[in-house]
Amino acid sequence: MDITALRDQAIEAIERAKNAKELEEVNKIYLGRKGKLTQLLRSLNAMEAGERRKIGAAANALRDELHETLEKKQELLARLELQEEARQNRIDVTVPGKRLPVGHLHPLTHIQREARRIFESMGFSTVQGNEIESQHYNFDALNFPPDHPARDMQDTFWLKQHRKGERNLLRTHTSPVQVRYMEQHVPPFRIIVPGRVFRNEATDARHETNLYQLEGLMVGKYVSAAHFKGVLEEFYREFFHTPVSIRLRPSFFPFVEPGFEVDMSCVVCKGGGCSTCSQGGWIEMMGAGMVHPNVFKAAGYVPGDWQGFAFGMGLDRLAMMKYKVHDIRLFYGGDFRFLRQF
Ligand code: FA5
């Protein structure tokens, strides 16, 4: 082939190459071991002297030119590649940001806050108590006899006793705050005490070892069970926004006289009976009653001077009824499929 034609062909091929791989291919076709120009250079030996000099000089010049052109093209391709990379990596400040997953309040916290809001709107103040309590405030001051089964290892998480004297425990209810508060305050008053309590018992759909209660205590000169009923009805009306069936039945707690338990018609089965309410159609929501004279005495009051009502409602049960949750253990399982629904 004519050297000028070979040159035109090679230069055009170099110009056409779109990337490093194609350029390498061109290099191979013309300058490789079996390349067109390489073969021409090899064939010089067979030529007669005059022709060899003429063609040899032109072929060598073409080899240098091709080397140089290839190198330049290589640099150009590398630059273009860098530019393309930069274009692809460009930060577009107008693209909307990625939303970070944000948590939310636990359903039991919502319930506690809603219950607080309603009682505070009725003039109750919120008071806090201790989760670690003494035997005195949890039991003795609340008129529990020494052999009451609630004091049993089976029902109570007792703490190790390091020093002689009082035994401590994880409070089994929020009622100890009744006496603690009365020791420091003179009636009339109305308080609520929301908080965590602990029971050493087997769990099931309605029972947990860790649960939340909300204690209520209203003391004055003429506070009666009728006031309790009024407060309770107002609370349920506000909390459920719809009429719910409630029943009060007589019950025994050593720190009230008379005592009663408040049941609510099970919302899971609408009272028909299901595993949540043990087929009974009713769920026990709270214990309550008129404050026992011995509790007033333990707090340093003269019993005849005051009267009042107290109640302790289970906030988990309230949440179960509000959200129609059939098993209390779902609140503590940490399962996002459940928690994300609130
Ligand atoms: C008490 O704890 C009394 N302190 C309540 C009280 C206060 C009575 C003031 C009188 C005056 P009881 O053990 O019944 O009572 O618990 C009260 C409520 O807590 C129950 O009605 C129930 O709603 C809830 N509760 C009790 N045990 C559990 C449990 N293991 N899991 C979930 N909720 C529970």
Side-chain angles (χ1 to χ4, degrees), residues 172-175 178 199 201 206-213 215-216 253 255-256 260-262 284-289 310-317 328:
T172 58
H173 52 176
T174 40
S175 300
Q178 288 185 27
R199 302 267 170 109
E201 62 184 345
R206 287 193 314 279
H207 295 89
E208 254 298 352
T209 50
N210 170 120
L211 59 132
Y212 288 84
Q213 285 190 341
E215 190 82 8
F253 297 95
F255 39 98
V256 286
F260 19 85
E261 253 158 356
V262 180
E284 180 202 314
M285 300 296 284
M286 69 174 87
F311 62 86
M313 64 167 73
L315 288 176
D316 311 65
R317 301 258 177 103
I328 189 174

Side-chain angles (χ1 to χ4, degrees), residues 105-115:
L105 294 177
H106 191 277
L108 290 176
T109 308
H110 279 302
I111 292 297
Q112 192 179 119
R113 290 192 179 181
E114 178 60 2

